[in-house]
Amino acid sequence: MTIRKVGVIGAGVMGTGITQMLAEHGIDVIVIDKEKSILEDSKENLIVTLDKSIEKWGITVTEKKVILSKIHYTLDKQSLTEVDLVIESIDEILEEKKNLFQEIDQICKPETIFATNTSTLSVTELASQTGRPDKFIGLNFTYPVVKRKLVQIIRGLKTSDSTYQIAKEFIETMGKTGIQVFESPGYVTVRLMIPLINEAINIVMEGVASEEDVDIAMKLGFGFPYGPLEMADRMGLDAVLRASEAMYREYGDGRYRPALALKKLVRAGHLGEKTGQGFFKYENGERIK
C-alpha cells in the first residue's frame, strides 16, 4: 500500500510539526481541527517556521510555496473520505479520542489506516472503538517533529503485521527511524522523560539550582538539545501534567506523581511555548533569554 494522502487531526504544536514533515516529503495533507482559530494559528506558525528556514538558506521561496500547496485546512471531517492514513494528534483525553475514532471510522474508506500520536493512552482501547483494529497503530513522534528522527511505532493487541510494516516503511520514507514498541503507558520516551521533568522541577522547588542552571546542566553535561524544563515547556505543560497523571494512575509509582509547581503553572494558564510563558518565556516560538 502506497500512502499518498494523509489526514492530520489536531492542529496544535505536534499536529503542525507532523503536517510540515508530511508536506515537505510531497504528501498531500488534510489538517482538521474543531476550531477555525486553531487552524489559522497552525498555518501562521508553519509560515513563520518556513520563513526562518528560508533566512537560513534551508529552503527556497519556491519550495515554501510547494510545501504550503500540499496542505488543506478544514473543519470538515468528511474531507477524510479518500485519505490513505489518518494521524490523530488531539489532546490526551481518552473519551475525546474514542469519540473521534468512532466518528471517522464511518467516514474513511475501509482500507484507511488509523494512527494515534498518543504517548500514554492505550492503542488497543482506542482501536476497539473502530471496525478496523487490525489497521490501527500508534505513531508517537518526538518534538520537534521535523528535526527528531525517532518515531515510536506502537502495536495494539490486534495490529496486523501488514499494518506495522506499512507504517514502518512510510516512516522511513519521511527520513525517520521507527522503533517497535508494545503497549505500555508512556512507552519508552515519555516513561523516561516524566520522572526526569518531575525531578528537575523538584530540584528548583528545593532551591538546589535555578531553572536556567538545571537545564544547562543537562544540555552541557549530557548533550540534551533542550533541558528538561524547556522540553516540558515545548511539549506543553498541560500535556506533561496529563501524561504524569495518567502514568501515576497506571503505575501507582511516586516517580510519576506530578510536581506541585507543574500543577500551579497549568492552573495559572502558563502552559509553555504555546502561551508564551512556562518555566521560561517565549515569543514566536523562540525562547526569550
Side-chain angles (χ1 to χ4, degrees):
M1 177 181 178
T2 301
I3 296 174
R4 296 187 175 89
K5 194 170 188 178
V6 176
V8 175
I9 305 180
V13 174
M14 291 300 290
T16 300
I18 293 168
T19 296
Q20 179 183 350
M21 173 198 72
L22 294 168
E24 286 183 350
H25 285 83
I27 302 294
D28 291 317
V29 190
I30 296 173
V31 184
I32 296 175
D33 207 292
K34 58 186 176 183
E35 294 182 26
K36 186 177 180 180
S37 61
I38 295 176
L39 292 173
E40 291 171 347
D41 287 346
S42 176
K43 184 175 183 180
E44 182 59 35
N45 289 336
L46 177 54
I47 290 172
V48 169
T49 297
L50 295 176
D51 285 341
K52 288 179 181 177
S53 188
I54 291 172
E55 291 173 3
K56 296 177 181 177
W57 302 88
I59 61 172
T60 65
V61 173
T62 299
E63 287 171 329
K64 172 189 170 182
K65 291 179 179 178
V66 171
I67 290 168
L68 293 176
S69 73
K70 291 287 183 182
I71 306 169
H72 175 63
Y73 296 88
T74 181
L75 301 171
D76 186 11
K77 297 185 187 73
Q78 294 295 328
S79 301
L80 297 172
T81 53
E82 295 302 319
V83 300
D84 304 305
L85 169 68
V86 173
I87 301 175
E88 168 274 314
S89 188
I90 67 172
D91 288 339
E92 290 282 89
I93 301 171
L94 181 60
E95 289 306 315
E96 289 191 13
K97 288 181 187 282
K98 282 183 175 181
N99 293 337
L100 172 64
F101 282 115
Q102 287 173 0
E103 183 180 0
I104 66 173
D105 193 39
Q106 304 303 313
I107 296 171
C108 296
K109 56 190 180 182
E111 59 268 32
T112 299
I113 292 173
F114 286 176
T116 174
N117 185 50
T118 185
S119 57
T120 58
L121 302 177
S122 168
V123 172
T124 299
E125 187 170 359
L126 293 175
S128 71
Q129 306 304 303
T130 75
R132 62 188 84 200
D134 60 315
K135 295 183 176 66
F136 201 108
I137 200 162
L139 292 178
N140 183 243
F141 293 86
T142 307
Y143 179 88
V145 176
V146 174
K147 294 181 180 179
R148 298 289 170 257
K149 295 290 187 182
L150 175 69
V151 180
Q152 296 180 102
I153 306 176
I154 302 103
R155 299 186 68 143
L157 182 63
K158 296 185 178 180
T159 303
S160 69
D161 290 341
S162 172
T163 296
Y164 171 77
Q165 198 58 41
I166 291 169
K168 188 174 188 299
E169 290 173 1
F170 179 67
I171 286 304
E172 289 171 350
T173 66
M174 299 293 106
K176 306 295 186 186
T177 298
I179 63 168
Q180 180 173 229
V181 180
F182 293 93
E183 188 169 305
S184 176
Y187 311 126
V188 176
T189 56
V190 172
R191 188 169 175 177
L192 292 170
M193 280 301 298
I194 291 299
L196 176 61
I197 290 170
N198 274 333
E199 197 58 29
I201 298 171
N202 289 332
I203 287 171
V204 173
M205 289 175 64
E206 292 166 12
V208 176
S210 68
E211 293 93 337
E212 179 75 26
D213 287 344
V214 167
D215 272 18
I216 287 174
M218 298 309 293
K219 287 190 289 185
L220 299 187
F222 295 92
F224 281 32
Y226 297 115
L229 299 177
E230 184 173 351
M231 173 60 73
D233 277 350
R234 293 187 180 277
M235 290 168 67
L237 298 186
D238 52 340
V240 173
L241 178 58
R242 281 194 297 270
S244 297
E245 290 173 335
M247 293 176 69
Y248 184 50
R249 283 194 301 271
E250 288 286 341
Y251 291 113
D253 190 324
R255 292 178 299 172
Y256 303 111
R257 182 187 292 116
L260 180 59
L262 175 62
K263 292 182 178 181
K264 286 183 177 180
L265 285 170
V266 172
R267 288 168 183 160
H270 299 323
L271 308 182
E273 178 190 342
K274 59 187 173 184
T275 61
Q277 174 72 61
F279 290 104
F280 304 102
K281 293 184 178 181
Y282 303 85
E283 188 174 315
N284 296 322
E286 296 292 331
R287 184 175 151 194
I288 300 173
K289 300 293 185 180

